[in-house]
Structure formats: structure tokens, C-alpha cells
Amino acid sequence: VKFNFPMAWATVMLEWGFLEFRDAYEAANQTQWMCDSIKWPLDYFLKCHVADDVLYAQVGNGGIDHGSWGRPEEMTMDRPAYKIDSSAHGSDLAMETASAFAAGYLVFK
């Protein structure tokens, strides 16, 4: 299951930490690893934004997915996708995702 709200928050925290302590990441030769860790969710969020007013918020059902102890490759249950749009509101998710993009801009500029 992919929960985009906590993923967006975690992405912002990674970005913020990198922006605050970039010199430490450079000194530890970890800059590329951190940038890769930040880029992956940003690319995923871009794929979730399929139209001007549509952002996919979750893939899979948390209760069902967490009830499975097998490998994801062997899951055969339905994997619904949930989105926010003009009829299914979620401004908190939209703004947290926007924050991830804004901080990502600062990381990669």
C-alpha cells in the first residue's frame, strides 16, 4: 500500500534536513544518495498528478494489504486507487505534496 500523505511529509523532512545540513552530507560523501532518496518520491508524486485538479492519494487498501503476509508480487486482491479531486477533497494532502515539490526545487536548483 502507498499512503501519499505520510510519504509527502517524509519527503519534506528529508529535503529540509538536506537543506539545513548540506555541508555534512557533502563531507560524508552522501549527497548523491540523499538526492536519489528525494528524487524517487518526487517522481512518484508527478505520476500521481494526472490532471489539473486530480491527485492520486493512496494505492491499495491499508486494512487488506496489511493483512497479507506474502510478497507483493504474490498479492492477488484488488488494489484500489483513491484520488482527490473536486468531489473528493483533500487540501491537506495537496498542500503537503506541494510542499515536497517546493522544497525539492530548493534541493535541486
Side-chain angles (χ1 to χ4, degrees):
V1 67
K2 292 181 181 176
F3 297 113
N4 289 15
F5 199 17
M7 187 186 311
W9 178 84
T11 303
V12 172
M13 292 300 103
L14 286 172
E15 294 161 336
W16 189 2
F18 184 73
L19 291 168
E20 287 290 318
F21 304 106
R22 182 185 298 255
D23 55 338
Y25 284 98
E26 290 171 358
N29 199 29
Q30 297 297 304
T31 302
Q32 188 59 50
W33 289 106
M34 186 58 140
C35 288
D36 290 347
S37 296
I38 292 169
K39 187 177 182 307
W40 188 94
L42 294 178
D43 288 342
Y44 172 74
F45 292 140
L46 282 174
K47 293 175 188 174
C48 291
H49 189 246
V50 298
D52 285 347
D53 294 327
V54 178
L55 178 67
Y56 276 88
Q58 180 176 321
V59 177
N61 179 300
I64 295 171
D65 281 23
H66 290 152
S68 174
W69 287 91
R71 300 182 322 162
E73 298 84 0
E74 296 172 350
M75 292 177 148
T76 59
M77 75 285 263
D78 287 337
R79 304 296 304 283
Y82 304 93
K83 64 183 177 182
I84 58 173
D85 59 18
S86 60
S87 62
H89 307 289
S91 59
D92 51 354
L93 171 61
M95 291 303 99
E96 192 68 35
T97 304
S99 296
F101 284 129
Y105 165 78
L106 296 174
V107 168
F108 291 106
K109 75 172 185 172

